[in-house]
Amino acid sequence: MGATGSGKTTFLQLLNGLLQPTRGKIFIDNKSIFDSDFPIDRLRTRIGMVFQFPEMQFFEENVFKDVAYGPQNLGLGRGEVLRRVKKALEAVDLDYASYYQKSPFHLSSGEKRRLAIACILALDPEMLILDEPTIGLDWISSMKIEKIILDLHKQGRTVIFVTHDMNLVTRIARQVIILDRGSVVFKGKKQELLSNYKILKTYNLPFPDIMEFMNKIKKAGIPVDSKVYSLPQAKKELDKVLQNSQYQKKLKMHLFVSM
């Protein structure tokens, strides 16, 4: 995370070897990725990157050809290419039989974003890098992207994503890095970040919606923990308040005004 211009996209492109650092080195398996004998092409199959608005990069006439492009360039046989295409589309909830002949340009925004992820998954990367994966998507499409990320993590893949959406971070992130003008200003678990008001305010990071809501309730004189950030935590706090008749009416009135 970080403000526009803080270096997030640059950092992602350094990880994938798309940019060379002006200082320092990038090591994978104890080797600098810009050494002459380092297999940089192999690196880009191990670390797959989905750019912001990746749907702008489609160029084939149908979904099958777009997803198959990467595996074909690896020199894989027709059977293996077909297997990878089907598996990649299945992983992003796009039914092969329903989509393989469709033009990628005629899909919805959410379908295009998932197709872009499938194009990278067909390369079978160890790590997936996503630049603003849910930007511009409606709630349902965003939830599908979240599920894909969580499923990939369960499979043992590392997923790194850039986002301005603190609610997305709250729901699925484990570790968070905050960048400011190219420097790391915070690195830690999301729980540490969300309890650190100073960092959130200093770098103008939005509070999650649930924290904002709980803050408003606390400011109204209702004793709740304003640092909770998940629905189960919020429900537990509100249930405790509702057991106290002193605050029941006040809370109900505040909820009515909020709606």
Side-chain angles (χ1 to χ4, degrees), residues 7 34 87 96 142 204 234 237:
F34 292 108
K87 185 177 179 182
Y96 176 80
S142 295
N204 199 30
E237 284 295 306

PDB file of all heavy atoms in Angstrom, residues 7 34 87 96 142 204 234 237:
ATOM      1  N   GLY A   7       5.824   4.268  -5.261  1.00  0.00           N
ATOM      2  CA  GLY A   7       6.753   3.261  -5.771  1.00  0.00           C
ATOM      3  C   GLY A   7       6.206   1.849  -5.806  1.00  0.00           C
ATOM      4  O   GLY A   7       6.953   0.897  -6.047  1.00  0.00           O
ATOM      5  N   PHE A  34      19.976 -10.262 -12.610  1.00  0.00           N
ATOM      6  CA  PHE A  34      20.519  -9.588 -13.791  1.00  0.00           C
ATOM      7  C   PHE A  34      21.929 -10.030 -14.132  1.00  0.00           C
ATOM      8  O   PHE A  34      22.596  -9.435 -14.980  1.00  0.00           O
ATOM      9  CB  PHE A  34      20.438  -8.066 -13.631  1.00  0.00           C
ATOM     10  CG  PHE A  34      19.021  -7.557 -13.639  1.00  0.00           C
ATOM     11  CD1 PHE A  34      18.423  -7.095 -12.479  1.00  0.00           C
ATOM     12  CD2 PHE A  34      18.265  -7.595 -14.803  1.00  0.00           C
ATOM     13  CE1 PHE A  34      17.110  -6.646 -12.488  1.00  0.00           C
ATOM     14  CE2 PHE A  34      16.951  -7.152 -14.823  1.00  0.00           C
ATOM     15  CZ  PHE A  34      16.373  -6.680 -13.659  1.00  0.00           C
ATOM     16  N   LYS A  87      -7.452 -25.845 -16.968  1.00  0.00           N
ATOM     17  CA  LYS A  87      -7.197 -25.711 -15.530  1.00  0.00           C
ATOM     18  C   LYS A  87      -7.183 -24.242 -15.114  1.00  0.00           C
ATOM     19  O   LYS A  87      -7.727 -23.874 -14.064  1.00  0.00           O
ATOM     20  CB  LYS A  87      -5.866 -26.375 -15.176  1.00  0.00           C
ATOM     21  CG  LYS A  87      -5.564 -26.391 -13.688  1.00  0.00           C
ATOM     22  CD  LYS A  87      -4.260 -27.127 -13.397  1.00  0.00           C
ATOM     23  CE  LYS A  87      -3.964 -27.121 -11.894  1.00  0.00           C
ATOM     24  NZ  LYS A  87      -2.672 -27.797 -11.597  1.00  0.00           N
ATOM     25  N   TYR A  96     -14.853 -23.606 -19.262  1.00  0.00           N
ATOM     26  CA  TYR A  96     -14.139 -23.746 -20.538  1.00  0.00           C
ATOM     27  C   TYR A  96     -15.101 -23.838 -21.719  1.00  0.00           C
ATOM     28  O   TYR A  96     -14.962 -23.107 -22.705  1.00  0.00           O
ATOM     29  CB  TYR A  96     -13.234 -24.983 -20.502  1.00  0.00           C
ATOM     30  CG  TYR A  96     -12.545 -25.255 -21.818  1.00  0.00           C
ATOM     31  CD1 TYR A  96     -11.412 -24.544 -22.189  1.00  0.00           C
ATOM     32  CD2 TYR A  96     -13.048 -26.224 -22.708  1.00  0.00           C
ATOM     33  CE1 TYR A  96     -10.775 -24.770 -23.405  1.00  0.00           C
ATOM     34  CE2 TYR A  96     -12.424 -26.455 -23.929  1.00  0.00           C
ATOM     35  CZ  TYR A  96     -11.295 -25.726 -24.268  1.00  0.00           C
ATOM     36  OH  TYR A  96     -10.679 -25.945 -25.484  1.00  0.00           O
ATOM     37  N   SER A 142     -15.478  -8.188  -7.483  1.00  0.00           N
ATOM     38  CA  SER A 142     -14.381  -8.063  -6.525  1.00  0.00           C
ATOM     39  C   SER A 142     -14.321  -9.277  -5.605  1.00  0.00           C
ATOM     40  O   SER A 142     -13.231  -9.792  -5.293  1.00  0.00           O
ATOM     41  CB  SER A 142     -14.535  -6.788  -5.694  1.00  0.00           C
ATOM     42  OG  SER A 142     -14.416  -5.642  -6.501  1.00  0.00           O
ATOM     43  N   ASN A 204      -1.976   8.853   5.208  1.00  0.00           N
ATOM     44  CA  ASN A 204      -3.289   9.111   4.612  1.00  0.00           C
ATOM     45  C   ASN A 204      -3.947   7.838   4.078  1.00  0.00           C
ATOM     46  O   ASN A 204      -4.498   7.813   2.975  1.00  0.00           O
ATOM     47  CB  ASN A 204      -3.159  10.150   3.485  1.00  0.00           C
ATOM     48  CG  ASN A 204      -4.492  10.788   3.138  1.00  0.00           C
ATOM     49  OD1 ASN A 204      -5.363  10.910   4.000  1.00  0.00           O
ATOM     50  ND2 ASN A 204      -4.662  11.176   1.888  1.00  0.00           N
ATOM     51  N   ALA A 234     -17.150  -6.997  15.104  1.00  0.00           N
ATOM     52  CA  ALA A 234     -18.111  -5.913  15.299  1.00  0.00           C
ATOM     53  C   ALA A 234     -19.403  -6.437  15.917  1.00  0.00           C
ATOM     54  O   ALA A 234     -19.975  -5.818  16.824  1.00  0.00           O
ATOM     55  CB  ALA A 234     -18.391  -5.217  13.973  1.00  0.00           C
ATOM     56  N   GLU A 237     -18.965  -7.045  19.594  1.00  0.00           N
ATOM     57  CA  GLU A 237     -18.974  -5.795  20.347  1.00  0.00           C
ATOM     58  C   GLU A 237     -20.391  -5.240  20.507  1.00  0.00           C
ATOM     59  O   GLU A 237     -20.789  -4.809  21.583  1.00  0.00           O
ATOM     60  CB  GLU A 237     -18.085  -4.759  19.651  1.00  0.00           C
ATOM     61  CG  GLU A 237     -16.607  -4.970  19.829  1.00  0.00           C
ATOM     62  CD  GLU A 237     -16.169  -4.812  21.276  1.00  0.00           C
ATOM     63  OE1 GLU A 237     -16.461  -3.759  21.883  1.00  0.00           O
ATOM     64  OE2 GLU A 237     -15.554  -5.748  21.803  1.00  0.00           O
TER      65      GLU A 237
END
